[in-house]
Amino acid sequence: MLGYMNPGSLKRTLEGTQVWFYSRSQEDLWHKGEVSGNYLNLREWYVDCDSDTILLKVDPDGPACHTGEISCFYTEMDGLPDDYEASDVIKDRQRAMPEGSYTAKLLAEGTSRVAQKVIEEAGETALAAATNDTENPARGNRGPFVSYPHLDGFGRGVAQRRLGGIAFPSGLASST
């Protein structure tokens, strides 16, 4: 299965023996198996090369999927679904170069200008995430070039500490 974790659910998982997730719809921690009895018992955990995805190896007490299937990934695909619409806005703008398009203007100004915009957007997004600024459009802008959703939820002004190659907000890596 695929689940969303925030610092609190990651901390609960690593301090215990069972997996916790963060329910974005309920805006609360979710102990997998609490209702069904199908807990996920943590065996090992790994982080990817850029520390934004965690792989948990577990021993399940039953099916992981709420449908009763062993895994949530049980539907084989023969091709793209009928309602799937592949879209690449930047390539579309590059092909059409529509008048009045900010993206087309940046592309016309060249690679250096595009790179400058990527750096600007990354800085603004990181600052907005670090200061929990969701209101200021100038600093919370997630424009057409970059998005850093893995920075969300780390709160205002948190110092970082490293544990096993992963940067955690202060306090998350401790046992308190």
Side-chain angles (χ1 to χ4, degrees), residues 1 10 14 30 38-39 50 61 67 95 101 103 106 124 129 139 145-146 149 154 165 171 175:
M1 71 172 282
L10 181 59
L14 298 180
W30 163 43
N38 298 327
Y39 295 98
D50 56 359
D61 285 341
T67 65
R95 273 191 292 275
S101 164
T103 302
L106 286 175
E124 289 175 358
R139 289 192 294 153
F145 291 107
V146 293
F154 279 91
S175 59

Coordinates of all heavy atoms in Angstrom, one line a residue, residues 1 10 14 30 38-39 50 61 67 95 101 103 106 124 129 139 145-146 149 154 165 171 175:
M1 N 0.8 -1.2 0.0 CA 0.0 0.0 0.0 C 0.9 1.2 0.0 O 2.1 1.1 0.2 CB -1.0 0.0 1.2 CG -0.3 0.2 2.5 SD -1.5 0.4 3.9 CE -2.1 2.1 3.6
L10 N 5.7 9.3 11.5 CA 7.0 8.7 11.4 C 7.6 8.4 12.7 O 8.1 7.3 13.0 CB 7.9 9.6 10.5 CG 9.3 9.0 10.3 CD1 9.2 7.7 9.6 CD2 10.1 10.0 9.5
L14 N 8.6 4.7 14.2 CA 10.0 4.4 14.5 C 10.2 4.1 16.0 O 11.1 3.4 16.4 CB 10.9 5.4 14.0 CG 10.9 5.7 12.5 CD1 11.9 6.7 12.1 CD2 11.2 4.4 11.8
W30 N -3.1 8.0 12.0 CA -3.9 6.8 11.7 C -3.1 5.6 12.0 O -2.1 5.4 11.3 CB -4.4 6.9 10.3 CG -4.9 5.7 9.6 CD1 -5.7 4.7 10.2 CD2 -4.6 5.2 8.3 NE1 -5.9 3.7 9.3 CE2 -5.2 4.0 8.1 CE3 -3.8 5.7 7.3 CZ2 -5.1 3.2 7.0 CZ3 -3.7 5.0 6.1 CH2 -4.4 3.8 6.0
N38 N -5.8 -5.5 11.0 CA -4.8 -5.8 10.0 C -3.6 -4.8 10.2 O -3.4 -4.0 9.3 CB -5.4 -5.8 8.6 CG -6.5 -6.8 8.4 OD1 -6.5 -7.8 9.0 ND2 -7.4 -6.4 7.6
Y39 N -2.9 -5.0 11.3 CA -1.8 -4.1 11.6 C -0.6 -4.4 10.6 O -0.5 -5.5 10.1 CB -1.3 -4.3 13.0 CG -2.3 -3.9 14.0 CD1 -3.1 -4.8 14.6 CD2 -2.5 -2.5 14.4 CE1 -4.1 -4.4 15.5 CE2 -3.4 -2.2 15.3 CZ -4.2 -3.1 15.9 OH -5.1 -2.7 16.8
D50 N 17.3 10.8 -2.1 CA 17.1 12.3 -1.8 C 16.3 12.5 -0.6 O 15.8 13.6 -0.3 CB 16.7 13.1 -3.0 CG 15.4 12.6 -3.6 OD1 14.8 11.6 -3.1 OD2 14.9 13.2 -4.6
D61 N -0.6 -8.3 9.5 CA -1.4 -9.2 10.3 C -2.6 -9.6 9.5 O -3.5 -10.4 10.0 CB -1.9 -8.5 11.6 CG -0.8 -8.5 12.6 OD1 0.2 -9.2 12.5 OD2 -0.9 -7.7 13.6
T67 N -10.1 -3.2 0.9 CA -11.0 -4.1 0.1 C -10.9 -5.5 0.5 O -11.7 -6.3 0.0 CB -10.7 -3.9 -1.4 OG1 -9.4 -4.5 -1.7 CG2 -10.8 -2.5 -1.9
R95 N 5.9 24.3 -27.5 CA 5.5 24.0 -28.9 C 4.6 25.2 -29.5 O 4.9 25.7 -30.6 CB 4.6 22.8 -29.0 CG 5.4 21.5 -29.1 CD 4.6 20.3 -29.5 NE 3.7 19.9 -28.3 CZ 4.1 19.1 -27.3 NH1 5.3 18.6 -27.3 NH2 3.2 18.8 -26.4
S101 N 1.7 34.2 -22.6 CA 2.0 33.1 -21.6 C 3.4 33.4 -20.9 O 4.4 33.6 -21.6 CB 2.2 31.8 -22.4 OG 2.8 30.8 -21.6
T103 N 5.1 31.4 -19.1 CA 6.0 30.2 -19.4 C 6.7 30.3 -20.7 O 7.9 30.2 -20.9 CB 5.3 28.9 -19.2 OG1 4.7 28.8 -17.9 CG2 6.2 27.7 -19.5
L106 N 9.4 33.0 -20.6 CA 10.6 32.4 -19.9 C 11.4 31.6 -20.9 O 12.6 31.7 -21.0 CB 10.3 31.7 -18.7 CG 9.9 32.5 -17.4 CD1 9.4 31.5 -16.3 CD2 11.0 33.4 -17.0
E124 N 11.5 30.2 -2.7 CA 10.3 30.6 -2.2 C 9.5 29.5 -1.6 O 8.9 29.6 -0.5 CB 9.4 31.3 -3.3 CG 10.0 32.7 -3.7 CD 9.2 33.3 -4.9 OE1 8.3 32.7 -5.4 OE2 9.6 34.4 -5.2
A129 N 7.5 26.6 3.2 CA 7.4 25.4 4.0 C 8.0 25.5 5.3 O 7.4 25.1 6.3 CB 8.0 24.2 3.2
R139 N 5.4 34.0 -1.5 CA 6.3 33.0 -1.0 C 5.7 31.6 -1.0 O 6.4 30.6 -0.8 CB 6.7 33.3 0.4 CG 7.6 34.5 0.4 CD 8.3 34.7 1.7 NE 7.3 35.1 2.7 CZ 7.4 34.8 4.0 NH1 8.5 34.2 4.5 NH2 6.5 35.2 4.9
F145 N 7.1 25.3 -12.6 CA 8.4 24.6 -12.7 C 8.7 23.7 -11.6 O 9.2 22.6 -11.8 CB 9.5 25.6 -12.9 CG 9.5 26.3 -14.2 CD1 9.1 27.6 -14.3 CD2 9.8 25.6 -15.4 CE1 9.0 28.2 -15.5 CE2 9.7 26.2 -16.6 CZ 9.3 27.5 -16.7
V146 N 8.4 24.1 -10.3 CA 8.9 23.2 -9.2 C 7.8 23.1 -8.1 O 6.9 23.9 -8.0 CB 10.2 23.8 -8.5 CG1 11.3 23.8 -9.4 CG2 9.9 25.2 -8.0
P149 N 6.5 19.1 -2.3 CA 5.5 18.7 -1.3 C 6.1 18.0 -0.1 O 5.5 18.0 1.0 CB 4.5 17.8 -2.1 CG 5.4 17.3 -3.2 CD 6.3 18.4 -3.6
F154 N 6.6 20.7 8.1 CA 7.7 20.7 9.0 C 7.7 21.9 9.9 O 8.5 22.0 10.8 CB 9.0 20.7 8.2 CG 9.3 19.3 7.8 CD1 8.9 18.8 6.6 CD2 10.0 18.4 8.6 CE1 9.2 17.5 6.2 CE2 10.2 17.1 8.2 CZ 9.8 16.6 7.0
G165 N 21.2 9.5 8.1 CA 21.2 10.1 6.8 C 19.9 10.8 6.4 O 19.7 11.3 5.4
G171 N 13.7 17.2 17.8 CA 12.7 16.6 18.6 C 12.1 15.3 18.0 O 11.8 14.4 18.7
S175 N 13.9 10.4 21.6 CA 12.9 9.4 22.1 C 11.9 10.0 23.0 O 11.1 9.3 23.6 CB 13.7 8.3 22.9 OG 14.4 8.9 23.9

